[in-house]
């Protein structure tokens, strides 16, 4: 079996990672009720690196029930923090902790028989997650060029309380463009909207909604020592469920398992266009609520609806480069094929990849569900998120507001900003060129003649 190493960077990255490990262990406990430490568990649950330049969240994890999961030699913490400054995380702490991080990466890699992937979990808006998280990405490319780099990036909302988050996000985007194999961009606002809808459903009592006392998904109070009553806990759990479904093929058997390398191979036709929009279903049953289950076909329809995307995007009205469907539970290949054929007429794919589907089936469903679906779409609908981010950046940069905080960091120059925004502009232009081909007729290409 192949192995992955999870690298959690910054406060947000560690909180999501903590939720993920808690849910994954509980998922395996539900499957292996005799407590058998099988190959799936031993291959996946031994490789994690926790990095934060403030020690609060990591210390909280180490004082909670998950303290025995992590090797304390695989933790890197500081006490000063990055002060919401990408330059401090990237330039200062990157240089300071480079050797230490590299040593721990090598140690984790040595424990793997077949290391396939590094999962980086971080946020874009702060200092450590964006700065040190993307510094780490370049290190991985240099040290382990053959190992895939999957990044789960949490993008700040318009009303983010970090004023400098547009700077941090744009500077981090340049590194993601150049050094990641796949990026799963997740929007804080989308997560908040989903949680708000769940709260509304509970409070209105619609659809027979009742509160579950011990939900697997959002009852993560066991993961951290304290049970917080913040929307961020439920939001983090949605992201953790994305990772749970993404790694299910590596952890459980299935009739059509998907190797993580296959995601990059099949969904990323061009190196820079590696941003995949994720949707989860059932989504509104992922919280501490009981809602009558959706029919199987409805689950497939939901995965393409605007309300189920983890980014403020509408893939159905944009252009698909490729799409992966990762299904869990008692679902047949015929169910997959039938639903793809049913949905295809309503989805627009690029003319040169009309059959751009990749599918997988894992026999073990999430706890409490008969089936689930994770859809990953390489779709031009990510473009508005990047354009909005650029606009927010330009509003600050035109006034040179807060720029001095970055330029006083050694190694940081104003050219870092101009290069970063140029990189993002070029990415947006690539999506523009693809969008320009929408509604063009699909050419009936001549088939290859085979001499007999």
């Amino acid at each position: 079996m192949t192995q992955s190493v999870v690298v959690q960077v910054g406060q947000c990255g560690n909180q999501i990672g903590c939720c993920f490990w808690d849910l994954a262990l509980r998922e395996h406990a539900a499957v292996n009720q005799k407590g058998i430490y099988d190959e799936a568990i031993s291959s996946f649950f031994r490789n994690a690196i926790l990095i934060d330049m403030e020690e609060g969240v990591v210390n909280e994890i180490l004082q909670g029930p998950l303290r025995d999961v992590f090797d304390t030699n695989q933790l890197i913490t500081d006490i000063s923090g990055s002060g919401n400054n990408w330059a401090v995380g990237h330039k200062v702490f990157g240089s300071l902790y480079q050797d230490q991080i590299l040593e721990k990466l090598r140690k984790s890699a040595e424990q793997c028989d077949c290391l396939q992937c590094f999962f980086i979990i971080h946020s874009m808006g702060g200092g450590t997650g964006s700065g040190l998280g993307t510094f780490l990405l370049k290190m991985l490319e240099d040290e382990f060029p053959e190992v895939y780099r999957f990044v789960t990036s949490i993008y700040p909302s318009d009303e983010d309380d970090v004023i400098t988050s547009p700077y941090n996000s744009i500077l981090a985007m340049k590194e993601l463009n150049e050094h990641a194999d796949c990026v799963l961009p997740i929007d804080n606002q989308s997560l908040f909207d989903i949680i708000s809808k769940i709260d509304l459903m509970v409070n209105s009592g619609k659809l027979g909604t009742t509160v579950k006392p011990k939900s697997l998904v959002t009852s993560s109070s066991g993961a951290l020592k304290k049970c917080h009553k913040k929307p961020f806990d439920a939001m983090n759990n949605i992201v953790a469920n994305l990772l749970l479904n993404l790694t299910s093929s590596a952890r459980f058997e299935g009739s059509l398992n998907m190797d993580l390398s296959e995601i990059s191979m099949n969904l990323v036709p061009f190196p820079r266009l590696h941003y995949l929009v994720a949707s989860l279903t059932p989504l509104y049953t992922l919280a501490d609520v009981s809602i009558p289950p959706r029919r199987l076909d409805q689950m497939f329809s939901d995965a393409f609806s605007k309300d189920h995307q983890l980014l403020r995007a509408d893939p159905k009205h944009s252009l698909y480069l490729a799409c992966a469907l990762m299904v869990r539970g008692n679902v047949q290949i015929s169910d997959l094929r039938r639903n793809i054929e049913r949905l295809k007429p309503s989805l627009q794919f690029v003319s040169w990849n009309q059959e751009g589907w990749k599918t997988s089936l894992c026999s073990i469903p999430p706890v409490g569900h008969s089936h689930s679906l994770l859809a990953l779409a390489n779709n031009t609908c990510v473009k508005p998120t990047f354009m909005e981010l650029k606009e927010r950046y330009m509003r600050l940069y035109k006034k040179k507001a807060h720029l001095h905080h970055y330029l006083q960091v050694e190694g940081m120059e104003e050219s870092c900003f101009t290069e970063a925004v140029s990189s993002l502009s070029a990415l947006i232009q690539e999506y523009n060129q693809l969008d320009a081909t929408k509604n063009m007729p699909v050419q009936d290409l001549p088939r290859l003649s085979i001499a007999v």
Side-chain angles (χ1 to χ4, degrees):
M1 292 187 72
T2 58
Q3 290 96 34
S4 301
V5 174
V6 177
V7 187
Q8 308 168 191
V9 190
Q11 178 180 332
C12 176
N14 278 290
Q15 287 174 332
I16 291 171
C18 176
C19 295
F20 166 71
W21 291 110
D22 180 52
L23 295 179
L25 285 166
R26 287 154 74 181
E27 189 170 86
H28 280 264
V31 173
N32 298 310
Q33 295 184 353
K34 294 181 181 179
I36 300 169
Y37 197 74
D38 62 8
E39 188 182 5
I41 274 196
S42 64
S43 68
F44 197 84
F45 292 96
R46 64 182 178 191
N47 297 311
I49 300 172
L50 283 61
I51 303 171
D52 199 359
M53 295 298 99
E54 291 176 340
E55 55 187 357
V57 174
V58 173
N59 283 348
E60 201 172 336
I61 293 170
L62 295 180
Q63 292 168 21
L66 289 179
R67 60 186 176 273
D68 295 329
V69 174
F70 303 107
D71 180 351
T72 54
N73 293 321
Q74 294 296 84
L75 315 179
I76 298 174
T77 59
D78 201 294
I79 56 173
S80 59
S82 297
N84 296 324
N85 189 326
W86 179 91
V88 173
H90 197 87
K91 304 288 186 182
V92 177
F93 288 127
S95 299
L96 191 61
Y97 285 96
Q98 180 173 3
D99 292 342
Q100 200 175 332
I101 292 172
L102 194 53
E103 178 193 345
K104 295 186 189 306
L105 288 170
R106 285 172 177 161
K107 181 181 176 184
S108 288
E110 285 167 3
Q111 294 179 6
C112 299
D113 302 318
C114 183
L115 176 59
Q116 183 188 61
C117 171
F118 285 103
F119 275 109
I120 296 112
I121 311 171
H122 75 135
S123 70
M124 300 286 280
T128 300
S130 69
L132 190 54
T134 53
F135 180 87
L136 168 83
L137 198 57
K138 177 66 165 64
M139 286 177 59
L140 291 173
E141 184 180 47
D142 292 341
E143 189 69 19
F144 306 95
E146 303 302 318
V147 182
Y148 285 92
R149 297 172 298 282
F150 274 73
V151 188
T152 301
S153 301
I154 311 301
Y155 281 69
S157 65
D158 296 346
E159 300 172 1
D160 190 80
D161 60 355
V162 178
I163 294 172
T164 55
S165 67
Y167 284 163
N168 297 330
S169 300
I170 293 279
L171 290 162
M173 276 286 296
K174 179 177 182 290
E175 306 300 315
L176 292 180
N177 286 345
E178 294 177 359
H179 306 302
D181 288 305
C182 281
V183 179
L184 306 178
I186 295 168
D187 185 358
N188 253 336
Q189 189 61 49
S190 287
L191 298 177
F192 186 78
D193 290 346
I194 290 164
I195 297 304
S196 298
K197 284 176 185 173
I198 290 170
D199 289 342
L200 190 64
M201 291 169 92
V202 171
N203 293 331
S204 67
K206 287 181 180 178
L207 300 173
T209 308
T210 56
V211 178
K212 292 181 184 176
K214 292 184 179 178
S215 162
L216 173 72
V217 177
T218 57
S219 295
S220 64
S221 55
L224 294 170
K225 192 178 180 183
K226 303 170 187 174
C227 180
H228 302 291
K229 296 294 182 183
K230 299 176 188 173
F232 288 115
D233 293 321
M235 290 159 67
N236 289 341
N237 271 288
I238 291 175
V239 184
N241 271 275
L242 158 66
L243 298 173
L244 210 62
N245 284 309
L246 189 64
T247 60
S248 61
S249 283
R251 297 183 290 113
F252 299 114
E253 292 183 354
S255 58
L256 188 65
N257 271 4
M258 187 189 299
D259 212 71
L260 288 167
S261 62
E262 294 179 71
I263 295 175
S264 179
M265 184 65 68
N266 289 274
L267 266 65
V268 182
F270 307 111
R272 285 164 56 88
L273 303 184
H274 54 235
Y275 294 86
L276 309 179
V277 179
S279 62
L280 275 173
T281 177
L283 181 56
Y284 297 102
T285 58
L286 284 184
D288 299 331
V289 294
S290 294
I291 298 172
R294 306 287 264 174
R295 298 190 321 274
L296 182 63
D297 286 10
Q298 185 62 49
M299 182 180 79
F300 280 89
S301 298
D302 288 344
F304 294 90
S305 76
K306 193 176 177 180
D307 291 343
H308 285 71
Q309 310 303 314
L310 302 192
L311 192 74
R312 279 177 297 170
D314 190 0
K316 281 187 84 170
H317 292 94
S318 300
L319 190 64
Y320 281 87
L321 281 76
C323 185
L325 301 177
M326 305 180 76
V327 184
R328 300 181 62 184
N330 185 22
V331 181
Q332 306 303 315
I333 294 176
S334 58
D335 296 322
L336 263 173
R337 289 174 177 159
R338 183 184 76 254
N339 277 285
I340 288 173
E341 290 303 315
R342 178 176 66 85
L343 291 163
K344 268 171 66 174
S346 65
L347 307 173
Q348 188 164 2
F349 277 71
V350 287
S351 60
W352 39 265
N353 198 24
Q354 288 290 298
E355 302 299 325
W357 297 89
K358 182 66 183 172
T359 56
S360 76
L361 288 176
C362 173
S363 56
I364 306 296
V367 175
H369 295 284
S370 58
H371 44 251
S372 73
L373 169 62
L374 166 64
L376 298 176
N378 193 339
N379 188 294
T380 59
C381 67
V382 298
K383 185 180 69 174
T385 297
F386 299 154
M387 292 172 66
E388 187 179 298
L389 186 59
K390 182 182 172 183
E391 287 171 13
R392 290 175 57 209
Y393 165 88
M394 292 308 296
R395 284 200 294 269
L396 282 179
Y397 188 73
K398 280 179 181 177
K399 300 291 185 183
K400 307 292 185 187
H402 303 282
L403 209 60
H404 63 287
H405 297 302
Y406 292 79
L407 298 181
Q408 67 190 15
V409 175
E410 187 178 352
M412 194 70 186
E413 299 175 357
E414 196 160 344
S415 60
C416 296
F417 288 88
T418 55
E419 288 170 9
V421 78
S422 293
S423 174
L424 182 59
S425 297
L427 181 68
I428 291 169
Q429 183 57 27
E430 288 187 55
Y431 283 112
N432 282 335
Q433 290 170 357
L434 282 167
D435 271 337
T437 67
K438 265 199 312 186
N439 302 317
M440 287 179 63
V442 178
Q443 294 178 350
D444 190 10
L445 298 174
R447 295 187 179 275
L448 184 68
S449 298
I450 301 174
V452 178

